[in-house]
Amino acid sequence: MSTIQSLLENKGWYTESGPDADVVCSSRTRLSRNLSGFSFPDKLSEKELSEVQSRIDTAFGKIDSRKGLHISPLEKLTPIQRRQLIEKHFVSQNYSLNKDKLVVYDRENSLSAVVNEEDHLRLAGFAGGLDLKKAYERVNKIERELEQYLDFAVSLDKGYLSADIKNCGTGLQASVLMHLPALEYSSLLDRAFKRVMEAGYEIKGLTGNDEGSLGGLYELYNPVAIGESEKDLLEKLAYISSQLVDYERRAREELKRHRKLEIEDKVYRAWGTLQYCKLLDEKESFQLLSHVRLGAALDWLDVPLERINQLLVLIGKAHLQQTIGSESTNETSKQVKLVRANLVKQALGFASA
Amino acid sequence: MICDICGENEAIVHVQQIMGGEVFEVHMCAECAKEKGVSLEKGSEGDFSLSQLLSGLVESFSPDADAKVITECPHCGTSITDIQENEKVGCPECYTVFRNQIEALIKEHTDNTNHKGKYPEKLRAYKAILIDKEVLKKKLKEAVQREEYETAAKIRDQIKELEHNPHSHKGHEG
């Protein structure tokens, strides 16, 4: 069990400040690698899967960076810890259910690895703001160390071979998590997305369903990993991201000029609600925090943007349960909402520790 | 014969590959061979996928190598219809077996279907000696024919550098 205060001391990619933070929450780069001499996970027997996992486990145990890493089978973690890995974007929901699988993450909460998902190994590096280079350096460093102990499947013209043919080549998928509320309010999203897709990139709402995005959060990423060097791929994605950043900023200026009262109402109403509410569910808090983030980016509210990025992770149920110290039941779900409301109040400075 | 990789010790491992009428050879000393993971005893632990690398090489020189029709990967059993439907393959061999079909699938997403990024450190020495050196030799010959001696001298230095230290060659680094 821990207190709300100790929860707020939890640091990671979601507390890092970075470039263009008024629009960009975070950057992520993922490298897919497979061991030579084995089929991809989907075609492996249980025995082969555990052989692959054990080789990767052994390699992680040998590299210089091992001291900064948590390397653990999921079964050694509590159910709450496993769900926290999802909330930190380290593993997918499906992956977290495989107790015999391995998970690796660093003490700074800026890097993670999963084994035998679609590929044998997927490494993900994170950084605050628009900083794909930093996110890539984090992941590339570990990969360079691992390749001393692992033979990755590679061919000269198709590069690193992956189960997904769109992923071969560099095996690199980079993504940028952006906050685009002004484009949303001004109904300019479709036009912006069209431009992104014409440039060969994809963008999706954070929730990934048809209702649009939760809290105005969108993820921009490269759909194909081959044909460019890692450097070019990252630079081009950074360039298209910065265009989208400009587009969102211009939309914000327009709103301030023509619909100021309306936007002020949204921002201060959210601010007021978060200050006085007693129970907060997850979806509502995403929406309110989105308005507050916009208010902070416009300098109307005095809150650090990183604080809001951090809350977007910590308002997850598993992180809140850590302060309650019990598993989810019907009775505790109200308790979770209460703790969420208290956490947000404390984080935004409405309540003291 | 001296090792192509370290340029110091006596080479005892000789790999020969014939591609498009040209013969490429790599000669390695025991230490470099071991360091590169080339196993001297067949089937032993840590066997480096030299054959996989070389098969890639052969194809890059003879694009129509897979003339006969194969519908299932002999290694993992994945069928070409599955691959075309899901854009997912079953094993690294699929990339060799269904080379042309996979090329076509990638082409639907991007015009640049060749890898331009980095390679594992272990492979860079091979690539430098087997391919880059040959490419440079050809360029050198052309430069000499065109009587561009300044360019030729530069290329000759690059080849020398490659022979002495294949790792330092700035081929593709991400």
Side-chain angles (χ1 to χ4, degrees):
Chain A
M1 206 164 133
S2 61
T3 61
I4 285 181
Q5 191 53 43
S6 69
L7 197 57
L8 285 170
E9 281 158 17
N10 182 324
K11 298 230 166 18
W13 58 267
Y14 38 85
T15 53
E16 252 179 24
S17 57
D20 300 318
D22 56 331
V23 180
V24 179
C25 296
S26 58
S27 303
R28 185 194 72 148
T29 57
R30 189 190 72 191
L31 283 179
S32 299
R33 295 290 182 261
N34 289 280
L35 305 194
S36 126
F38 290 89
S39 290
F40 299 134
D42 204 30
K43 295 282 176 183
L44 289 183
S45 66
E46 286 300 320
K47 200 174 156 232
E48 291 166 314
L49 284 170
S50 74
E51 170 66 21
V52 167
Q53 175 163 314
S54 128
R55 286 196 191 189
I56 292 173
D57 193 2
T58 307
F60 269 113
K62 285 181 183 165
I63 59 174
D64 292 342
S65 303
R66 67 183 180 281
K67 288 207 177 88
L69 300 174
H70 295 277
I71 308 162
S72 164
L74 283 165
E75 65 189 344
K76 289 245 173 89
L77 303 177
T78 65
I80 287 181
Q81 286 173 320
R82 287 203 290 271
R83 281 203 303 275
Q84 287 182 346
L85 296 176
I86 310 173
E87 291 170 3
K88 284 177 182 153
H89 302 205
F90 286 170
V91 303
S92 67
Q93 180 132 22
N94 270 340
Y95 191 83
S96 77
L97 301 173
N98 300 294
K99 289 191 181 175
D100 52 335
K101 288 202 169 163
L102 196 70
V103 67
V104 179
Y105 55 97
D106 70 340
R107 291 182 199 284
E108 277 77 47
N109 280 317
S110 62
L111 182 130
S112 70
V114 293
V115 178
N116 285 333
E117 201 174 27
E118 189 175 34
D119 291 303
H120 295 151
L121 174 65
R122 277 185 172 175
L123 294 160
F126 300 79
L130 179 53
D131 202 342
L132 288 164
K133 199 167 161 247
K134 190 181 195 177
Y136 180 69
E137 276 163 8
R138 283 177 169 158
V139 85
N140 189 45
K141 177 173 183 285
I142 299 286
E143 193 255 6
R144 278 296 191 208
E145 290 182 35
L146 285 171
E147 72 168 24
Q148 296 172 27
Y149 304 101
L150 297 170
D151 286 335
F152 294 134
V154 61
S155 87
L156 282 167
D157 63 339
K158 292 292 166 272
Y160 292 92
L161 304 177
S162 164
D164 184 337
I165 63 162
K166 294 193 292 299
N167 229 343
C168 72
T170 59
L172 171 63
Q173 191 193 62
S175 65
V176 179
L177 184 61
M178 309 186 101
H179 184 225
L180 307 173
L183 289 175
E184 237 175 33
Y185 300 149
S186 332
S187 310
L188 289 170
L189 268 183
D190 286 347
R191 205 195 293 177
F193 288 5
K194 201 172 158 229
R195 201 178 283 186
V196 163
M197 287 192 281
E198 276 166 2
Y201 297 89
E202 281 176 24
I203 191 159
K204 63 177 183 204
L206 193 61
T207 52
N209 61 24
D210 296 337
E211 293 170 39
S213 180
L214 203 51
L217 294 167
Y218 295 87
E219 211 178 353
L220 171 68
Y221 60 99
N222 62 305
V224 186
I226 197 165
E228 289 172 316
S229 69
E230 290 82 359
K231 188 167 173 276
D232 287 353
L233 192 153
L234 295 172
E235 280 174 3
K236 279 189 196 168
L237 184 65
Y239 174 72
I240 198 88
S241 303
S242 61
Q243 282 192 321
L244 210 48
V245 166
D246 279 346
Y247 213 30
E248 166 69 17
R249 282 182 189 147
R250 285 210 300 270
R252 288 178 188 181
E253 287 307 311
E254 281 297 301
L255 286 178
K256 257 164 72 178
R257 223 169 291 141
H258 303 291
R259 293 165 66 187
K260 190 169 184 203
L261 202 57
E262 203 181 314
I263 301 305
E264 274 181 329
D265 181 65
K266 275 184 198 288
V267 168
Y268 289 104
R269 183 180 295 273
W271 189 244
T273 307
L274 290 175
Q275 187 169 359
Y276 293 107
C277 69
K278 293 285 181 192
L279 301 173
L280 252 183
D281 78 23
E282 193 171 0
K283 199 174 165 190
E284 186 188 9
S285 38
F286 261 100
Q287 283 154 349
L288 295 173
L289 286 171
S290 169
H291 295 144
V292 168
R293 200 182 193 286
L294 178 62
L298 293 172
D299 279 331
W300 293 348
L301 301 174
D302 186 20
V303 196
L305 291 160
E306 301 84 52
R307 199 47 143 181
I308 300 164
N309 295 345
Q310 181 191 25
L311 281 176
L312 293 175
V313 169
L314 296 183
I315 56 170
K317 197 163 85 180
H319 278 94
L320 301 170
Q321 278 172 337
Q322 187 185 317
T323 71
I324 302 169
S326 73
E327 281 285 317
S328 166
T329 62
N330 284 340
E331 199 40 48
T332 54
S333 87
K334 201 169 277 173
Q335 226 179 325
V336 167
K337 287 183 189 176
L338 174 67
V339 176
R340 186 180 286 120
N342 287 336
L343 168 78
V344 172
K345 280 184 224 176
Q346 203 164 310
L348 300 182
F350 299 135
S352 57
Chain B
M1 187 167 285
I2 298 297
C3 172
D4 283 331
I5 291 177
C6 65
E8 284 171 14
N9 304 329
E10 188 65 20
I12 60 154
V13 180
H14 309 280
V15 182
Q16 196 182 62
Q17 193 70 22
I18 302 166
M19 284 168 279
E22 283 186 82
V23 179
F24 295 142
E25 289 178 340
V26 199
H27 309 281
M28 283 176 278
C29 68
E31 270 169 40
C32 287
K34 202 178 157 205
E35 195 191 312
K36 304 291 161 226
V38 176
S39 164
L40 303 180
E41 295 148 55
K42 237 184 162 192
S44 64
E45 205 38 46
D47 204 346
F48 186 65
S49 60
L50 187 63
S51 65
Q52 195 180 312
L53 170 72
L54 289 177
S55 79
L57 271 175
V58 176
E59 284 149 29
S60 61
F61 280 84
S62 53
D64 42 25
D66 50 343
K68 67 177 171 183
V69 181
I70 301 173
T71 56
E72 250 181 33
C73 173
H75 187 259
C76 70
T78 306
S79 73
I80 183 60
T81 40
D82 279 355
I83 295 175
Q84 281 164 337
E85 203 166 303
N86 310 315
E87 302 194 319
K88 301 271 161 77
V89 293
C91 71
E93 306 297 326
C94 289
Y95 281 94
T96 311
V97 176
F98 302 118
R99 187 189 156 79
N100 293 343
Q101 295 94 324
I102 288 174
E103 183 76 17
L105 288 172
I106 299 176
K107 211 148 199 142
E108 285 176 24
H109 298 281
T110 175
D111 294 334
N112 307 318
T113 62
N114 280 333
H115 178 50
K116 296 207 175 70
K118 68 170 185 170
Y119 290 93
E121 207 61 51
K122 291 177 193 170
L123 281 190
R124 278 173 65 204
Y126 284 130
K127 187 186 171 291
I129 291 170
L130 279 171
I131 297 213
D132 298 352
K133 194 172 130 187
E134 294 308 315
V135 171
L136 286 173
K137 272 186 183 168
K138 209 174 147 215
K139 277 191 189 162
L140 175 64
K141 213 170 145 188
E142 286 167 2
V144 172
Q145 272 167 5
R146 288 196 305 267
E147 298 185 11
E148 294 168 5
Y149 296 114
E150 209 171 302
T151 316
K154 266 186 206 155
I155 298 173
R156 195 171 300 130
D157 288 346
Q158 282 177 312
I159 295 176
K160 227 178 255 171
E161 167 76 4
L162 209 58
E163 284 170 340
H164 283 109
N165 193 0
H167 281 289
S168 75
H169 178 59
K170 291 175 203 68
H172 300 284
E173 177 60 25

